[in-house]
Amino acid sequence: MKIVAIIGAGTMGNGIAHTFAQNGFTVKMIDVSEEALEKGMTTIFTNLDRMQNKGSITAEEKMKTVSNIICYTDIEDGVVGADLVIEAATEKLDLKLRIFKKLNEYCSHNTVFATNTSSISITQIASVVAHPERVIGMHFMNPVPLMPLVEVIRGYNTSDEVTQFITTLASKLGKTAVEAHDYPGFVANRILMPMINEAIETLYNKVAGVSEIDSVMKLGMGHPMGPLQLADFIGLDVCLSILNVMYDGFKNPKYAPCPLLVNMVNAKKLGIKSGEGFYDYSESKKAEKVSKQFITYP
């Protein structure tokens, strides 16, 4: 297995492309937007430069990684010859279903299909594909080149052979595969998102301020990043989307998004990607300055 197609050139897509290319695979990175592809390649260049400056790769390895990536704006052209296609598009069910319907049309029945979804049902995605036993969840963590975990999610029909194939592949990428079953949020987000949501509720109820909440979790619980800072890093819109998937899937009020989170997403305060969330990133990408609307909290 040498050719991998990655659909989506955003944060996760370019990170996945980088990781496969650095490990010697030919990567076809696909996005309908030329601008997104250019931005994705710029991010890969920047991350490789950082790795070279730290001495973890050579200049030759950097250039070899870049040369392993080919960009496409047409999905049909991009998936030709791919042994594995990984979908890393926006976390929207209707978009993913449209993509997988196209993959079903354009790819051979031997092609393995993976989705990087962090919460959406693998079984539901596989329902639009002939031979759904070849569809699996391959949930990478951000930043992909650095984070060692891959959450491998079996859909209702996913075969043992495909599961073993993906687990072995993750190992070849230097990752640790952890298997999970197909329920909303899987393992990572089923535990993480309620914690983030509860941190937002704690702020919403004015129990403590932004930096105080994050400090308690970092200094008292040993977390490398506070939950509000982490929410900004993930993207508040992504957090809201995942919580909605879990709430719809379980019908349990403990997964209901905090009204403050909903309001912030509606106001386009999405975290680092928009320049402001719980922290202000207008001067630095580090969470050093609390957003002005929360300075007087509680």
Side-chain angles (χ1 to χ4, degrees):
M1 203 281 288
K2 282 293 181 182
I3 302 177
V4 180
I6 313 295
I7 299 176
T11 299
M12 297 306 295
N14 71 62
I16 297 168
H18 172 163
T19 300
F20 273 95
Q22 191 176 335
N23 284 277
F25 292 87
T26 297
V27 176
K28 297 181 167 188
M29 188 164 68
I30 307 163
D31 200 294
V32 294
S33 166
E34 284 276 9
E35 182 181 357
L37 287 168
E38 290 174 6
K39 185 176 179 181
M41 288 305 301
T42 298
T43 298
I44 292 170
F45 267 109
T46 300
N47 290 336
L48 287 169
D49 281 340
R50 188 178 294 116
M51 294 172 76
Q52 183 186 347
N53 292 337
K54 290 181 177 179
S56 56
I57 62 170
T58 65
E60 183 180 357
E61 288 170 330
K62 178 181 73 174
M63 296 314 298
K64 178 61 176 175
T65 297
V66 172
S67 69
N68 283 338
I69 304 172
I70 311 163
C71 293
Y72 293 84
T73 54
D74 184 90
I75 188 171
E76 185 173 5
D77 291 340
V79 299
V80 170
D83 305 292
L84 169 67
V85 180
I86 302 175
E87 171 272 316
T90 305
E91 195 76 341
K92 295 180 179 179
L93 176 60
D94 58 344
L95 174 60
K96 293 183 186 296
L97 293 179
R98 288 200 303 271
I99 289 171
F100 275 83
K101 285 178 181 177
K102 290 181 180 180
L103 294 180
N104 185 63
E105 180 182 349
Y106 300 147
C107 299
S108 78
H109 68 274
N110 294 319
T111 307
V112 175
F113 296 154
T115 172
N116 184 59
T117 181
S118 60
S119 59
I120 295 172
S121 168
I122 308 303
T123 304
Q124 190 170 8
I125 291 172
S127 68
V128 298
V129 173
H131 305 288
E133 65 276 3
R134 59 180 166 152
V135 181
I136 194 165
M138 198 176 188
H139 179 208
F140 290 86
M141 305 294 136
N142 185 31
V144 180
L146 300 180
M147 296 295 280
L149 175 68
V150 177
E151 198 175 20
V152 176
I153 307 99
R154 297 182 63 139
Y156 189 85
N157 293 302
T158 306
S159 70
D160 292 339
E161 291 77 13
V162 167
T163 303
Q164 184 57 53
F165 166 70
I166 292 297
T167 299
T168 301
L169 179 61
S171 179
K172 290 179 180 178
L173 297 174
K175 308 295 186 185
T176 298
V178 177
E179 189 175 326
H181 291 293
D182 187 20
Y183 293 98
F186 316 133
V187 174
N189 282 320
R190 184 165 180 174
I191 295 170
L192 175 63
M193 286 302 152
M195 183 191 74
I196 287 176
N197 198 45
E198 193 63 31
I200 299 171
E201 285 278 1
T202 302
L203 178 66
Y204 179 57
N205 291 318
K206 299 191 176 182
V207 176
V210 170
S211 60
E212 288 78 10
I213 292 168
D214 278 352
S215 293
V216 166
M217 297 306 292
K218 288 188 289 185
L219 302 178
M221 307 303 166
H223 292 202
M225 187 182 295
L228 299 177
Q229 180 187 358
L230 181 55
D232 277 354
F233 179 74
I234 294 169
L236 301 192
D237 53 338
V238 176
C239 293
L240 178 59
S241 176
I242 295 169
L243 283 164
N244 281 330
V245 167
M246 293 169 66
Y247 182 59
D248 290 342
F250 291 115
K251 300 296 188 291
N252 188 322
K254 74 177 181 179
Y255 299 115
C258 176
L260 176 58
L261 174 60
V262 176
N263 277 347
M264 291 180 71
V265 172
N266 287 338
K268 308 299 183 186
K269 306 296 185 182
L270 308 179
I272 291 177
K273 69 174 76 175
S274 69
E276 184 180 356
F278 295 106
Y279 293 88
D280 184 337
Y281 302 97
S282 59
E283 298 175 2
S284 171
K285 295 298 183 183
K286 297 180 180 179
E288 298 173 330
K289 182 179 178 183
V290 173
S291 179
K292 63 182 179 181
Q293 74 183 94
F294 298 121
I295 289 175
T296 59
Y297 269 53

